[in-house]
Amino acid sequence: MKRVLSGIQPSGKLTLGNYIGALKNFVTLQHDHICNFMVVDLHAITVPQNPTDLREQSESVAALFVAAGIDPAKANVYMQSHVRQHAQLGWMLTTLASMGELERMTQFKDKSAGKESVGAGLFVYPALMAADILIYNADLVPVGEDQKQHLELTRDLAGRFNSRYGEYFKMPEPYIPKVGARIMSLDDASKKMSKSNPNPGSMIALLDTPDEIRKKISRATTDSGREVRFDPANKPEVSNLITIYSQCSGLSVAEVEARYEGQMYGPFKKDLAEVVVSELEPLQQRYRDIRQSGEIRSILRQGAEKASEMAEKTLTDVQQLMGFLPY
């Protein structure tokens, strides 16, 4: 089976965009792939974090992984920091990366823009992301469009290593679903729905109450006109809402359009809210059960142990190829 690696940062509240664009795909992939899904806490600290909040958010995100349907018996769920080989390989790959490559990373440019002082971790973290992938010699990496540049760097570093030290790393490929991979903000469909957006009305958090969900969808920005039609170029706002409806209901985009033919936005948005509530309520109940039981700690420990076995073999091989003295 092919190997899959992906992760989500424990910063901010996970959103419906994370669920549709990432978690649902994780659940699908676990059935016929060797999967490693991690909470990337080492990446989170590239910007300042409150320690108490980081611990809570880390456990919360891990619990949401399982609540969304990831089965710890089929896929490894763990904290990035619990598998030390990530950081070790990350340093080795940093020595293979050039300043120019890292300076060209769009996310670094965006996050450092206008700041007098920028942490070195923010600059070099694409090398750690490459290590996350290569430590398992992953075949597929579920990534959003905004992360494809980092995956290209990963491929470049893998190729550079292979050229210098001998063929070892595979060339990982992106796994990007054609529909639902990119859910946009409720207040501006030109921007991705993001857990870091300071406007809470721009996104639906996975743990929002039903009333909060209904209120946010009722206030979601819509295009001029009244037709519920999927047309991303000319009607991006309502097209985003149709995508959400389709992903949460199981109906195709065409079926959603047909259901609301001749109707205005009001009835559509009201029904959409109930569709989202129905999708998230079972997840929220599973999340509460997991947190109350305390089982997430043992799930994380077991996941880290299994992931470490795979990672240690890669690290040992890489150290040997690079000329490190055996321990």
Side-chain angles (χ1 to χ4, degrees):
M1 292 192 293
K2 290 187 175 182
R3 292 185 177 186
V4 174
L5 180 283
S6 196
I8 296 178
Q9 284 198 34
S11 52
K13 299 177 179 178
L14 290 198
T15 71
L16 187 65
N18 296 124
Y19 175 66
I20 292 173
L23 295 178
K24 287 185 72 175
N25 294 317
F26 294 178
V27 172
T28 300
L29 287 165
Q30 70 181 336
H31 298 297
D32 46 18
H33 296 78
I34 298 170
C35 293
N36 289 293
F37 299 129
M38 60 182 180
V39 180
V40 289
D41 50 350
L42 293 177
H43 287 300
I45 62 169
T46 55
V47 296
Q49 299 287 338
N50 176 287
T52 301
D53 293 343
L54 179 61
R55 271 189 290 271
E56 165 58 27
Q57 274 299 108
S58 295
E59 189 166 324
S60 177
V61 171
L64 283 169
F65 277 19
V66 180
I70 297 174
D71 183 353
K74 295 181 178 179
N76 296 325
V77 176
Y78 58 97
M79 301 301 302
Q80 181 189 26
S81 62
H82 292 177
V83 181
R84 60 175 175 78
Q85 294 88 349
H86 285 265
Q88 288 181 265
L89 183 60
W91 171 248
M92 296 177 195
L93 295 181
T94 298
T95 68
L96 296 179
S98 72
M99 295 280 287
E101 286 174 318
L102 298 174
E103 286 172 343
R104 287 193 292 273
M105 295 293 107
T106 302
Q107 286 210 351
F108 172 72
K109 292 179 182 178
D110 292 345
K111 292 184 178 181
S112 62
K115 295 182 179 178
E116 294 182 6
S117 177
V118 179
L122 188 63
F123 183 67
V124 301
Y125 96 92
L128 176 58
M129 183 174 172
D132 296 335
I133 298 164
L134 297 178
I135 197 69
Y136 304 108
N137 240 334
D139 299 280
L140 296 173
V141 184
V143 292
E145 290 289 341
D146 56 337
Q147 291 288 347
K148 286 182 71 175
Q149 187 186 32
H150 289 157
L151 185 57
E152 285 303 315
L153 177 63
T154 300
R155 291 168 58 88
D156 289 343
L157 294 178
R160 194 167 302 154
F161 180 94
N162 291 347
S163 177
R164 290 187 188 182
Y165 302 109
E167 289 294 323
Y168 182 77
F169 288 123
K170 298 176 184 176
M171 291 293 142
E173 297 290 340
Y175 173 82
I176 304 175
K178 293 181 179 180
V179 179
R182 193 171 173 85
I183 300 300
M184 312 310 285
S185 172
L186 297 181
D187 63 346
D188 182 356
S190 69
K191 299 177 181 177
K192 185 179 74 169
M193 183 180 287
S194 172
K195 51 189 169 64
S196 61
N197 193 318
N199 175 18
S202 69
M203 54 88 170
I204 294 170
L206 291 184
L207 299 177
D208 277 347
T209 66
D211 284 346
E212 287 173 329
I213 293 170
R214 294 182 182 107
K215 184 179 294 184
K216 289 180 179 181
I217 291 179
S218 71
R219 295 177 178 176
T221 303
T222 47
D223 310 280
S224 58
R226 302 178 177 180
E227 191 178 7
V228 180
R229 177 167 53 87
F230 189 78
D231 183 354
N234 299 305
K235 297 173 72 70
E237 311 287 357
V238 74
S239 296
N240 184 46
L241 297 181
I242 290 173
T243 297
I244 293 172
Y245 197 121
S246 172
Q247 290 291 310
C248 290
S249 68
L251 297 175
S252 68
V253 167
E255 288 171 329
V256 175
E257 288 180 306
R259 177 170 291 191
Y260 294 96
E261 185 176 0
Q263 297 189 49
M264 294 186 291
Y265 294 148
F268 166 69
K269 290 171 76 174
K270 185 176 180 180
D271 289 352
L272 171 60
E274 298 311 313
V275 166
V276 174
V277 168
S278 296
E279 178 77 356
L280 294 186
E281 278 189 323
L283 178 152
Q284 292 174 354
Q285 184 56 56
R286 289 194 296 271
Y287 171 83
R288 289 190 289 268
D289 292 343
I290 293 164
R291 292 302 301 270
Q292 290 170 5
S293 70
E295 64 180 309
I296 193 62
R297 295 293 180 92
S298 62
I299 289 172
L300 291 172
R301 186 164 51 251
Q302 292 167 12
E305 288 172 357
K306 293 177 183 177
S308 293
E309 290 180 12
M310 286 186 275
E312 183 58 27
K313 181 186 184 308
T314 302
L315 185 66
T316 300
D317 290 345
V318 168
Q319 287 175 324
Q320 181 178 355
L321 289 167
M322 290 184 75
F324 286 92
L325 194 66
Y327 176 70

